[in-house]
Amino acid sequence: MKSNSYVGGVLSLSGLALALALGSATAVAEQKPSPADIKKHSTTPGSRYEPELNVLEKEKMSPPGTQPGIPSLTNDEWATANKIYFERCAGCHGVLRKGATGKALTTDVTRKNGFEYLRDFITYGSPGGMPNWGTSGELTKEQVELMAKYLLNEPSAPPEFGMTEIKATWNLIVPVDKRPKEKQNKLDLDNLFSVTLRDTGEVALIDGGTKEIVTTIKTGYAVHISRMSASGRYLFAIGRDAKVDLIDLYMDPPAKVAEIKVGSEARSVETSKMKGWEDKYAIAGSYWPPQYVIMDGSTLEPLKVVSTRGMTYDTQEYHPEPRVASIVASHFKPEFVVNVKETGHILMVNYSDIKNLTVTDIAAERFLHDGGFDSTGRYFLVAANARNRVAIIDTKDGKLVDVIDSKGVKPHPGRGANIVHPKFGPVWVTSHLGDETVSFIGTDPEGHKDNAWKVVQTVNGQGGGSLFVKSHPKSEYLYVDTPLNPEAEFSSSVAVFKIADLAGEKPKFKTLPIGEWSGISEGQRRVVQGEYNKDGSEIWFSVWNNKSQESAIVVVDDKTLTKKAVIKDKRLITPTGKFNVYNTRNDIY
C-alpha cells in the first residue's frame, strides 16, 4: 500500500465511508473550502466502512446442541453473535462460513485453531484484509470472546425462500393498463441518475441537468444496484434485503409500480436486452437462499425459481451456498449471464422458453464477483477476486475464452472501464481491493490479436481499497477510486490517469481532492463510484460519510478536471452507487 505522497503536485487522497447529507437541495457554486483538518477525518470506529450491513441478522435461528468440549451459548448469546456475524462477517466468509473473499470458518478449521487463536485473530486482524475488530474498538473484549466461541459451534442456516414465500411478497401497485401510455413528465430521462441512499432504504432520482433531486423512492435496504429496462422506461432497484422495486420513469413524478422479495439477501438484478425481448423479463439473484428468480419485466410477477446449489467447478465437491454474485444481459442472444460465486460456474440462462429452461453451464473460476462488457458488448469479463483472476466469456458463441491472472490482489472492477490504449488498442480496466495495481486487459482479438486476453499493462494507483474504475468513450481520462483504503487522505480522493500518457514508461496520475471539494469538514469523506452523465462531459462522485454526518455528490468537469458543482440536500443520506439511465441501459463504461 502506498504511503502518503504528492503526485503531480497534488496530495494523494483515497478510501470509503458512510454518510448523511444535510442542507438545501442546491448545487453549490464553485468556492474555496477552508483547509481540512486531517485529524477530523481519521478512521474512528464510528466512521469505518461496514462491509455488509447484512440483513440476515433479523432471522431467528436457534443455537446448535451442546457438544463435548465446545463452549455452549445461550439463546440470547447466539442471537447476539448471529447479528454480529451477519453484519460484519458473512459477506466475506459466507452465511454457512464456507469462505469466499475471506477464508472458510467451518468448524474443522476453527476447532483445530482453537479459542485463543480465534480470539486473537478477531482482535488484531491480519495484513491479508481481516479487520482488527478488537483493537479498532468495533467490538468489545466480551464481543470478541463471544465470536470466538460462536465460531467453534456449527452454523445454523436461515430459512429457505421458495416460490410460495416469494409470491406472498409480490405487490403489483399499479397494473400495466393503469400506467401512462406515454411520458407524463418533462424530464430528460436519459440524463437521469438513480442514486442509492444506502442507510435510508431509498433511491434518489437526480436530474443530470439541474442537479436537483426529482424525488426519493422507498426501496429495499442498502440498494446494491439500479438497472434500467432496454426501453429506458423502467428502473429496477435491488436491496441487500433481496427486495426488488420496479419504478416507472414515465410517471410524474416517477413512482414505484411493483415490488417483490426474492429471498433474504441479494445483490443483483437485470432485464432482458436482446432485440425483440426488450422489457420482457427481469431476473434477480440471491445470496440467500442461493438461487435466481425470473420475473415478468413489467409487473415483477415471479415465473421461475432456480437453485444454484451444486458442485464446485474444479474439485467437484458439493457446495450448499453458491451465491449469485452478478448478472448481465446478453446483447447477442436471449440470455442472462449469471455468475455463481462459490462454485465458479457462469450460467448462460436462455429465457426464450422459461417453461423449458435451457442453461449453458460454463466452468470458469472461484469466487466470481462483478464485471462488465468490453466496448463491443460481446465479451464479458468478470473478476474471481479471491483467486486474483479474471474470466472472459464470449456471449455470442456462448463459450469461455480464457481465465487470466489479473496481476494484482483481489480485482474489483465494478463494471470495469473500456478505453482505447495508445499502445495496445481497446482494453478493459480493473483496479484491486488488495493493492494499488490497475490492470489493462486487451479486448480486441481481431484488430490487436497479440494483445487480446492478456494483461498488457499495469500501473500503480494511490493504494489498495479500490472499488471502481471509470471512463467514457468521449473522455481522455481514466478515474480510479480507493474508498476502502484505511488512510483517510486516500479514501477521500481519486486518481486520474490521462489515457494518452499510458504509453509512457511510468504513467503518473493526478489526484482530485473530491472530499475537500465537497466542503464537508467532518467524517472520513470516502469518495466512491464515478458515474458519467449522458454526454460524457461530467463525472459524479459520492462523498459517503456516516449516516449521522453530512454527505454530498461532487460533479467534476471531465475536460478540465475541476469541480463543477456540489450537490447537497438533507435527503441525501449515505449516497453510494449512482446509475445514469442512458449509460446503464446501454452498458457504457
Side-chain angles (χ1 to χ4, degrees):
M1 196 168 289
K2 286 185 122 179
S3 61
N4 298 10
S5 61
Y6 282 85
V7 181
V10 183
L11 178 65
S12 297
L13 312 169
S14 235
L16 221 201
L18 305 173
L20 168 60
L22 305 173
S24 60
T26 59
V28 180
E30 177 76 29
Q31 58 184 6
K32 184 177 178 60
S34 58
D37 180 357
I38 286 296
K39 291 183 179 180
K40 292 180 181 178
H41 311 295
S42 61
T43 307
T44 60
S47 65
R48 271 194 178 82
Y49 173 60
E50 297 179 4
E52 284 307 308
L53 293 177
N54 194 298
V55 296
L56 284 174
E57 82 274 5
K58 297 177 182 178
E59 300 290 351
K60 303 297 183 183
M61 290 174 275
S62 300
T66 303
Q67 301 171 62
I70 304 302
S72 60
L73 302 179
T74 66
N75 286 338
D76 287 345
E77 288 174 329
W78 189 254
T80 299
N82 264 333
K83 185 177 188 298
I84 293 172
Y85 183 80
F86 288 130
E87 282 183 343
R88 308 289 190 181
C89 319
C92 287
H93 297 286
V95 172
L96 302 180
R97 307 187 206 152
K98 296 288 185 178
T101 304
K103 294 182 178 180
L105 295 174
T106 47
T107 53
D108 60 320
V109 175
T110 60
R111 292 175 185 175
K112 180 180 178 181
N113 288 320
F115 171 81
E116 291 185 357
Y117 174 91
L118 295 171
R119 178 198 62 199
D120 293 345
F121 199 72
I122 296 168
T123 300
Y124 299 107
S126 78
M130 171 70 175
N132 54 325
W133 296 113
T135 57
S136 70
E138 291 278 357
L139 299 180
T140 66
K141 178 182 177 182
E142 293 73 22
Q143 287 175 321
V144 168
E145 292 183 352
L146 173 63
M147 294 310 296
K149 294 176 183 177
Y150 174 81
L151 294 176
L152 293 169
N153 285 275
E154 296 288 348
S156 55
E160 298 295 323
F161 207 89
M163 181 60 86
T164 299
E165 291 80 10
I166 293 169
K167 277 192 172 181
T169 70
W170 176 44
N171 180 19
L172 182 58
I173 301 167
V174 182
V176 175
D177 61 0
K178 301 297 183 183
R179 299 174 196 169
K181 303 301 181 187
E182 56 187 21
K183 189 164 75 81
Q184 299 296 301
N185 57 63
K186 297 181 180 180
L187 297 170
D188 178 2
L189 295 185
D190 274 348
N191 203 28
L192 194 68
F193 287 76
S194 175
V195 179
T196 297
L197 304 181
R198 178 187 172 98
D199 291 347
T200 64
E202 296 175 296
V203 295
L205 300 183
I206 301 182
D207 188 304
T210 65
K211 313 292 191 296
E212 294 181 351
I213 294 178
V214 176
T215 186
T216 60
I217 298 171
K218 284 290 182 184
T219 57
Y221 174 74
V223 164
H224 193 62
I225 58 172
S226 295
R227 289 291 181 261
M228 283 70 186
S229 66
S231 68
R233 172 170 185 166
Y234 293 113
L235 184 152
F236 297 76
I238 188 163
R240 294 193 173 191
D241 56 0
K243 185 170 182 286
V244 180
D245 292 281
L246 177 63
I247 298 165
D248 187 352
L249 299 180
Y250 278 17
M251 297 174 74
D252 188 18
K256 183 164 54 178
V257 293
E259 59 188 3
I260 195 170
K261 265 180 69 69
V262 295
S264 299
E265 188 185 0
R267 293 294 184 280
S268 52
V269 67
E270 185 58 286
T271 69
S272 51
K273 291 183 177 178
M274 177 67 182
K275 188 175 181 180
W277 296 88
E278 297 91 339
D279 298 13
K280 177 72 173 176
Y281 294 118
I283 184 173
S286 297
Y287 267 27
W288 190 269
Q291 61 194 28
Y292 57 87
V293 180
I294 299 175
M295 301 161 284
D296 183 282
S298 58
T299 66
L300 297 185
E301 179 184 3
L303 304 172
K304 190 92 169 182
V305 185
V306 182
S307 173
T308 54
R309 290 183 171 104
M311 302 298 180
T312 58
Y313 90 94
D314 46 3
T315 58
Q316 306 213 15
E317 297 172 272
Y318 178 74
H319 199 295
E321 191 197 350
R323 297 173 287 180
V324 177
S326 56
I327 303 173
V328 296
S330 172
H331 298 270
F332 289 87
K333 294 180 180 180
E335 289 182 338
F336 294 118
V337 183
V338 178
N339 299 281
V340 185
K341 185 185 288 282
E342 280 77 10
T343 55
H345 292 273
I346 297 176
L347 310 178
M348 312 296 285
V349 180
N350 190 301
Y351 51 75
S352 60
D353 182 358
I354 63 171
K355 185 175 182 180
N356 302 290
L357 198 66
T358 301
V359 179
T360 300
D361 189 325
I362 298 174
E365 182 57 287
R366 303 163 71 186
F367 298 77
L368 299 171
H369 192 59
D370 56 0
F373 287 107
D374 77 311
S375 59
T376 69
R378 173 174 177 173
Y379 298 98
F380 175 69
L381 297 92
V382 58
N385 53 22
R387 291 190 172 175
N388 306 326
R389 307 191 80 192
V390 173
I392 303 144
I393 297 293
D394 183 340
T395 62
K396 183 177 181 180
D397 291 343
K399 294 180 179 179
L400 179 71
V401 175
D402 205 350
V403 180
I404 63 173
D405 192 313
S406 73
K407 307 298 184 183
V409 180
K410 295 184 180 177
H412 193 290
R415 289 169 286 179
N418 288 298
I419 65 172
V420 178
H421 193 285
K423 184 176 180 180
F424 301 109
V427 298
W428 180 85
V429 190
T430 182
S431 53
H432 292 77
L433 274 169
D435 65 19
E436 68 270 26
T437 305
V438 181
S439 298
F440 300 80
I441 299 171
T443 58
D444 184 14
E446 295 183 4
H448 297 78
K449 184 177 181 181
D450 292 342
N451 301 329
W453 320 130
K454 299 175 184 176
V455 175
V456 294
Q457 183 181 22
T458 62
V459 298
N460 288 341
Q462 295 188 105
S466 177
L467 289 179
F468 301 101
V469 290
K470 183 64 68 170
S471 191
H472 187 276
K474 296 181 181 179
S475 177
E476 300 177 4
Y477 299 103
L478 171 71
Y479 298 78
V480 184
D481 71 14
T482 40
L484 297 191
N485 194 288
E487 297 296 329
E489 59 264 49
F490 291 158
S491 65
S492 62
S493 66
V494 297
V496 187
F497 292 89
K498 190 170 184 178
I499 295 171
D501 292 345
L502 294 172
E505 187 174 337
K506 289 185 178 180
K508 293 187 177 181
F509 58 81
K510 180 177 182 179
T511 302
L512 302 187
I514 304 295
E516 182 180 333
W517 284 353
S518 72
I520 296 171
S521 60
E522 62 179 348
Q524 192 163 347
R525 307 177 304 181
R526 299 185 191 265
V527 174
V528 63
Q529 203 229 17
E531 178 77 349
Y532 277 90
N533 63 344
K534 178 186 175 182
D535 65 14
S537 62
E538 301 171 351
I539 183 167
W540 296 26
F541 288 96
S542 296
V543 181
W544 182 22
N545 259 333
N546 185 287
K547 64 182 179 181
S548 63
Q549 298 169 323
E550 186 179 25
S551 292
I553 292 173
V554 173
V555 181
V556 175
D557 187 309
D558 183 66
K559 297 298 181 186
T560 63
L561 300 184
T562 57
K563 180 178 70 173
K564 189 171 184 178
V566 178
I567 302 172
K568 292 185 178 181
D569 190 291
K570 64 182 180 180
R571 296 168 290 178
L572 204 59
I573 300 171
T574 57
T576 53
K578 300 165 298 302
F579 303 90
N580 174 268
V581 169
Y582 183 83
N583 293 331
T584 302
R585 71 186 177 94
N586 289 289
D587 290 311
I588 296 173
Y589 33 76

